[in-house]
Amino acid sequence: MRFFPWGFWLLCVASAPARGDSGSKARSCAEVRQLYGAKGFSLSGVPQAEISGEHLRICPQGYTCCTSEMEENFANKSRSEFEAMMKETGRSVQMTLTAQHRSFDSYFQDLLNKSEKALYEAFPSMYGELYTQNMKVFKDLYSELRRYYRGSNINLEEALNEFWTRLLERLFKLMNPQYHITDEYLDCMVKHAEQHRPFGEVPRDLKVKATRAFIAARSYAQGFLVGSDVVKKVSQVPLSHECTRAIMKLMYCPHCRGMSSVKPCNNYCLNVVKGCLANQADLNTEWKYLMDSLVVVADRINGPYNVDAVIGTIHMRISEAISNLQENKDSITAKVFQGCGNPKISTKGSSSEDKKRRAKVALEAKSSLQALEMLVSDAKGNLTALKTYWITLPGNLCSKKVMSSSAADDKCWNGMTKGSYLPEVMGDGLANQINNPEVEVDITKPDMTIRQQIMQLKIMTNRLGNANIGNDVDFQDASDDMSGSGSGDSCPDDVCGKRLSKSPSTRQPETHAIPKQSGHGISGASSRSLPSAFLLFLSVAFIAAQHLWR
């Protein structure tokens, strides 16, 4: 019995409240009250000093400055603040992509406008009635080119063929005013046009070059808009209930625990955010393909497809074609008469207007190649920087928004108290969150909004892949090609060469047993959840009991 006072003293020490550095005196809640008020909440009912925390449902149930209502309010606040962080970060990416689109769109439209303006200024003095009586044909051509570039469902080759057909019909009648040429006769003439080549090689050459340039330009501009739209929609995906709890524990539980100055451990923050943004990280593969494809098409625009030279000289090529028709008028007319017969003589007087207006006017195309090179260079730099956006997002949010502590810091908030964070950092993506110690993630239920955006990225990458080789793909039809495992077959080799082995569409699905919530933490996290004071109490009580029974 002599041992009893010593044992009783140990029991008292062991059962003393474990409140970190607070000692036996309850700490003031002044800092939490100030923060709570600053967030727009009423201070009514907010404790002046720490209280027992058995009522808490998210934060550790030690001594606390937070009531149940405060915990709920902080949880809702943490959700809205984190979602706002996502939108803010996404907006910066959207602004970058939208700015690139705006710059290229302005350049391309300006190129087309200058070509049209040059045609309107030079052709009246060069061709007289040949132009003035056919102005609508030229206006319609530029109108169709603009509509195609802006995304209208137009067959560009057919539009160009239609232009040359209409132009030939009108010019042939004007150059042969002494004949009465009927619509049936013109139909016959058009059928022989490919054989006679009245405009020389210009129509065929321009069709090949202009089609490739316009396809590349339209897909390139559209790619920036699709990327921006994907970021916008993904940034608006709400947090799950489990994620809201984890974010609350990360951001506001240290305040409730009286540790307002203690920053979250970096690895702890990473696991929370990686768990919350697991679906977003799955965008990474298709996002990188899109960025790479845009870079490849940018090189085509500034290289082999030579957009500056092709689009900026359309008016010059048309002039070349008309001049070729004028210079070979007699031989072309003779061939048409031979194939379609001689038309009837017209009763109207002939006009030599076309001969009076044959004076040569120098047509110039002011090159804006340097501007294009700067645009492409700037775009490639931004696209390269954005390639890893989705997998670097957790780290950026933790370091710049949550303001987590150093990874090596052993005096940071680890979710329970101030100390080291032991669990390892999870990998990226949904499948890697099966053992996330901070957020319970159901890897069998991917977010459907994000899956839809992954499909949009695939469709756009497929379109860019086709544009890279000069093929046009209608937006509505592109989705049909994306449903199977061969969705990336049209990608350029230098972009999608490794896609068949790494694409989510061809990967065998991983199957894992999903642990229950109570057992999903790893050993490091489990050890943190057992109160050390309670273990010490049991040990001392057992020793004391042994001595008492002796």
Side-chain angles (χ1 to χ4, degrees), residues 166-271:
R166 291 175 63 195
L167 186 61
L168 177 60
E169 290 175 348
R170 283 155 179 76
L171 296 187
F172 188 81
K173 290 180 71 173
L174 282 172
M175 290 190 300
N176 296 280
Q178 68 273 29
Y179 295 105
H180 176 67
I181 300 176
T182 64
D183 291 342
E184 290 76 11
Y185 194 89
L186 290 176
D187 290 340
C188 176
M189 177 197 67
V190 170
K191 290 179 182 178
H192 292 81
E194 182 66 24
Q195 177 184 351
H196 302 323
R197 296 185 184 178
F199 294 118
E201 295 297 326
V202 173
R204 183 179 298 179
D205 184 60
L206 183 61
K207 181 169 66 175
V208 172
K209 293 180 178 177
T211 299
R212 290 192 310 183
F214 269 92
I215 290 172
R218 182 169 86 159
S219 300
Y220 185 67
Q222 185 71 15
F224 287 113
L225 294 181
V226 168
S228 177
D229 189 58
V230 166
V231 174
K232 178 181 178 181
K233 289 178 178 176
V234 172
S235 298
Q236 293 173 344
V237 173
L239 294 182
S240 66
H241 175 70
E242 293 77 11
C243 186
T244 298
R245 292 174 60 89
I247 293 294
M248 159 64 187
K249 194 174 181 182
L250 172 74
M251 297 175 64
Y252 284 108
C253 284
H255 295 280
C256 291
R257 199 66 189 270
M259 302 178 185
S260 297
S261 61
V262 180
K263 296 179 179 179
C265 299
N266 187 61
N267 286 354
Y268 169 46
C269 179
L270 286 175
N271 274 342

Side-chain angles (χ1 to χ4, degrees), residues 277-353:
L277 303 184
N279 282 281
Q280 286 83 340
D282 282 345
L283 287 156
N284 178 60
T285 299
E286 297 303 331
W287 179 262
K288 287 199 300 183
Y289 287 150
L290 178 65
M291 299 297 106
D292 286 338
S293 297
L294 282 168
V295 168
V296 170
V297 174
D299 284 333
R300 288 287 190 272
I301 287 172
N302 190 37
Y305 293 173
N306 207 352
V307 168
D308 184 82
V310 173
I311 309 303
T313 61
I314 290 176
H315 60 292
M316 297 179 67
R317 301 309 307 277
I318 294 173
S319 174
E320 180 185 341
I322 295 174
S323 297
N324 189 76
L325 178 63
Q326 289 178 319
E327 291 170 2
N328 298 283
K329 170 190 169 183
D330 294 337
S331 63
I332 291 171
T333 300
K335 290 177 181 178
V336 171
F337 285 179
Q338 183 179 358
C340 300
N342 294 327
K344 295 180 181 180
I345 302 296
S346 175
T347 57
K348 296 180 180 180
S350 62
S351 170
S352 58
E353 181 68 17

Side-chain angles (χ1 to χ4, degrees), residues 384-527:
T384 301
L386 291 176
K387 278 177 63 173
T388 58
Y389 170 69
W390 296 108
I391 57 171
T392 57
L393 183 57
N396 289 333
L397 288 175
C398 284
S399 62
K400 297 177 182 178
K401 302 296 182 180
V402 180
M403 302 298 290
S404 59
S405 183
S406 169
D409 194 350
D410 60 353
K411 295 181 180 180
C412 52
W413 173 253
N414 60 19
M416 296 300 295
T417 187
K418 181 170 68 174
S420 300
Y421 183 75
L422 301 179
E424 63 179 344
V425 177
M426 298 293 100
D428 300 305
L430 190 61
N432 287 317
Q433 305 310 310
I434 188 170
N435 292 319
N436 193 311
E438 308 305 335
V439 189
E440 184 180 11
V441 182
D442 188 348
I443 66 170
T444 66
K445 295 181 179 179
D447 184 272
M448 295 312 298
T449 298
I450 293 177
R451 296 296 140 174
Q452 289 170 0
Q453 297 312 305
I454 290 175
M455 183 58 67
Q456 292 303 311
L457 292 174
K458 286 184 177 182
I459 292 171
M460 192 64 242
T461 300
N462 182 66
R463 180 172 176 78
L464 286 163
N466 277 281
N468 181 48
I469 55 177
N471 291 339
D472 196 6
V473 179
D474 184 76
F475 282 105
Q476 288 77 15
D477 294 340
S479 59
D480 297 337
D481 298 330
M482 306 308 298
S483 57
S485 61
S487 59
D489 293 349
S490 296
C491 289
D493 293 338
D494 50 351
V495 174
C496 304
K498 299 180 180 180
R499 182 168 179 161
L500 291 177
S501 61
K502 295 186 178 182
S503 172
S505 61
T506 58
R507 215 167 34 222
Q508 291 297 321
E510 297 180 68
T511 56
H512 302 280
I514 301 177
K516 296 181 180 179
Q517 183 174 1
S518 59
H520 75 279
I522 65 174
S523 59
S526 300
S527 63

Side-chain angles (χ1 to χ4, degrees), residues 358-395:
R358 290 285 296 278
K360 293 288 183 181
V361 177
L363 278 175
E364 295 182 359
K366 295 181 179 179
S367 174
S368 53
L369 185 59
Q370 187 175 3
L372 178 60
E373 290 176 350
M374 291 178 63
L375 281 176
V376 168
S377 177
D378 185 49
K380 288 169 67 175
N382 283 305
L383 291 168
T384 301
L386 291 176
K387 278 177 63 173
T388 58
Y389 170 69
W390 296 108
I391 57 171
T392 57
L393 183 57

